[in-house]
Amino acid sequence: MADLFLGAAIGPPFQILFDCLVKVPIEKAVMFKGMIIKIKQKVQAMNPLINQIVESNMALDRQKSEMEEFVLKMVKGKELVEKCDKYSNWKYMWKRHGYTTKLQDLDESLDRLLRILPLLIARTTNETHMLVKEIHASTVGGTSQGNLRQIEVKGSCNVPEPPDFTVGLSDSLEVLKMKLLRVDDVMTEPILVTAPPGCGKTTLIKKLCNDDQIKEKFKTNILFVTVAKNPNLGLIVQELYQHKGYSVSNFKDNKDSELKLEELLREIGKEPVLLVLDDVWSGTESLVEKFVFQIPDYKILVTSRYPFPRFKHQYEMKQLSDEDAKAIFLHYATFEDENAAIPNDLLKKAVDYCKRVPIALKLIGSSLRGQDPRFWHRQLKKWSTDDSSILSSESDLLSCLQTILDVLDEKHAILKECFMDIGLFPELRRIPATALIDIFAELYGVTEDDAITNLYELRDRNLANIVVTRKDADEIDDYYSEHFVTQHGMLRELALHQSKQDPLEKRKRMIVEIAGENLPQWWKKQIDQPFNAHLVAFSTDESFTSNWCDIKVPEAKVLVLNFQTKTHALPEFVKHMSKLKVLIITNYSFLPAQLTNFEILDTLTNLTRIRLERISIPSLKETHIVLKKLQKLSLFMCEIGQAFSCIKISEVFPNLEEINFDYCNDLETLSDGFCDLIKLKKLSITHCHDLSSLPDDMGNLVNLQVLRLRSCIELEKLPDSICTLSKLTFLDISDCISIRNLPENIGQLRSLRNLNMKNCWRLVELPSSVLDFQQLKDVVCDEVLKQVWEFYLPADANIELRLAKDDVNLYWLDS
């Protein structure tokens, strides 16, 4: 970084020049009148800007030598103006040319300074805020008892937004509000909200936490934690620390987690606290008691489908009225501009069949929307003859929801498969959309565009939710690393229920969830018979220590491994998966985990896509792997270390076409070896905050079409060689706040069509070659850079300058 130039230093020489120009009688400066007037107008326009800089002693982020040159120009400018005043008589005509040239030089310097000063001020004002928001969300550090060290990053316990349409919750809201707004010296008992699955418990709590009176009382101390089936106390406490902006440490054991939890709650408990523990399962209610402390005005709200007798304060949600149930069904079954021409008798039978369960009304209504009227009548008559009671058991509810899949079967077979594939990932986790895209693309032969379209189709049918953590979510740039999929627990249970309809050895999807040492019976028997599954998923918790059994899944094309331990070994059975195309490994603990037995990947000769999350990548030199068919490598929040050192990367991945580094905090430089990947088409490095330089030979990537360098806040420049990338169509340097200049010949990128460059605060000038772009049509930028572009572009330029939303949303991390 260059030394910052303190703005106060520019004040005195400017004031001297300003005063000198004020004293010069324009009417007497005959020979230089026009130039003197121009210079005087520029100086008057600069006066308020200079005053603003001087008063705040603003640190101007330009090269010190450059700003000192401006100061020298002003000093000499004062002398020049005085001489022009002295020699303004026509008898000194012979001096005119020399002084006119010098005045023109002064005018050009002032013109340039006048142009960049507003940009420097705007950038300096915003940059500090931008830096704070771009701190890596997984910052870690120690804490000491009674002395919590607070940082600026906040995390994952924000209250989710409630759905736009809700009915029938008003009475419940008022009852719970009364309980929470009551002032207690000490609140020791949790409030338990119970109802059968799919009846709106979580929706009720979301609306409650977003109520104005509740937010006024608890302010930033509303903590929303999803507990789910196999909770991990240590992870929950780490999420709470992160959310409140405190540095996070590893805990020795559960006892240490409990001590740190109490420390945090007592620290933030100086103000009222509301803790929501959502979706607590039977058998895990003892976890709730670990959050109970004698703290004034500390409230705990618990939701569960199970009534727990040990909790004194319970509230059971009431069933929907007929009118509310009909309203929900009609809302999801018809379009807004469509008259609900559903015969009353059929409508009543459909609502009765759903037993007024909100999730059933919503999903079955959505499955009928847009269908042919005859299909409506056929389905509703079919359902109305079924006498089963949805509320009699969860299995009956699943049977009811099964009708949704029957509808998909008729017209959207691939969409049904995509829905089923979401069940490969653990319950109530945010699933990276890119992981699902990889699965859909390889298994069903669809393009990545079609794959993301399928996810949005599932969303439109209310079979999944899509969370986009970037604020410019409307940008269409094929960047989905900040798209996540979530799903109601009952929908995942539906997918698992459907997967289990066939015998274990014949199932298309093998989904195995292991808590501790509770192994499935077939695991213990060490079955020799091969399984027919094409998709295999194993999810284990932090206490899993067993050795993998040697199963045989020769037809597997997708393997998903989800774990929570500090170290994890790739199972030996992987080497039998000769047809494997997609490997997705996710560590759900808080810090990157060591992955051992990595060399086994060398046996997977058909592997085309790998996605690793929170993994410490081992040295590829030591593993000796060669993946000849690998086309896409995605590393999310991984430790890169020396993984790519001392190897010829093009020999390890000779056919690699796409690399994604996201939130890899220790990636400081990109190895030169990556420049030998001549088949590479997409290179994405985002939120790698320590990345400071790129290889000089990036021009060797002759087939590169997409270069994305979003939020690499230490990156100062782009290598000049990128100007030779003749196939590059998309360049993204958004939020690269340290880039000062673009390559001088960037206009040689003849194929470039899209350029994203918002929040490049240090970039206040463009090279003249930007006028040479031939295909550039779209520039996404901020207000400041829009002004810069408008200065360079001619009025008839065929380039659209679009303003991006000036915000960065990092409060998303959901462990």
Side-chain angles (χ1 to χ4, degrees), residues 709-810:
L709 303 168
R710 176 184 291 260
S711 299
C712 296
I713 62 177
E714 292 294 330
L715 185 64
E716 295 190 11
K717 67 175 184 177
L718 302 177
D720 293 335
S721 65
I722 72 162
C723 301
T724 64
L725 298 175
S726 60
K727 295 185 179 181
L728 194 70
T729 62
F730 183 92
L731 175 61
D732 186 354
I733 57 172
S734 297
D735 305 323
C736 291
I737 60 178
S738 296
I739 289 182
R740 299 173 179 277
N741 302 290
L742 295 179
E744 193 62 36
N745 296 315
I746 196 168
Q748 292 180 3
L749 292 172
R750 299 291 193 258
S751 299
L752 192 69
R753 293 195 296 268
N754 301 88
L755 175 58
N756 288 8
M757 55 187 305
K758 71 179 180 68
N759 295 335
C760 295
W761 295 116
R762 287 182 171 87
L763 188 61
V764 296
E765 292 182 290
L766 299 174
S768 58
S769 68
V770 296
L771 298 175
D772 299 332
F773 282 122
Q774 295 181 359
Q775 302 293 327
L776 187 63
K777 300 297 181 185
D778 187 52
V779 176
V780 179
C781 55
D782 49 63
E783 286 280 6
V784 175
L785 284 172
K786 186 172 184 287
Q787 295 176 35
V788 176
W789 274 94
E790 288 172 342
F791 176 82
Y792 284 89
L793 292 179
D796 60 347
N798 190 26
I799 297 177
E800 182 182 2
L801 303 177
R802 292 193 294 119
L803 291 178
K805 295 179 181 179
D806 187 18
D807 199 359
V808 180
N809 177 17
L810 293 183

Side-chain angles (χ1 to χ4, degrees), residues 581-649:
K581 290 188 173 184
V582 181
L583 175 63
I584 299 170
I585 304 178
T586 304
N587 162 31
Y588 285 102
S589 62
F590 206 75
L591 300 175
Q594 297 290 329
L595 191 63
T596 61
N597 206 22
F598 204 75
E599 58 274 10
I600 205 171
L601 298 185
D602 193 54
T603 63
L604 304 177
T605 56
N606 286 299
L607 197 60
T608 57
R609 296 172 186 248
I610 295 177
R611 187 184 192 278
L612 306 178
E613 180 170 342
R614 286 194 186 89
I615 301 297
S616 183
I617 310 297
S619 169
L620 298 185
K621 180 183 178 182
E622 297 178 4
T623 60
H624 305 291
I625 64 171
V626 175
L627 299 174
K628 292 185 177 181
K629 289 191 177 182
L630 193 71
Q631 296 177 3
K632 182 178 179 180
L633 175 63
S634 300
L635 305 176
F636 188 85
M637 298 188 78
C638 290
E639 281 185 355
I640 305 302
Q642 302 300 311
F644 300 102
S645 300
C646 304
I647 61 167
K648 193 169 180 59
I649 300 175

Side-chain angles (χ1 to χ4, degrees), residues 479 481-482 661-664 684-689 708-712:
Y479 176 62
S481 290
E482 294 178 43
F661 295 96
D662 294 303
Y663 290 97
C664 296
S684 176
I685 308 176
T686 61
H687 302 98
C688 295
H689 297 144
R708 183 174 287 108
L709 303 168
R710 176 184 291 260
S711 299
C712 296

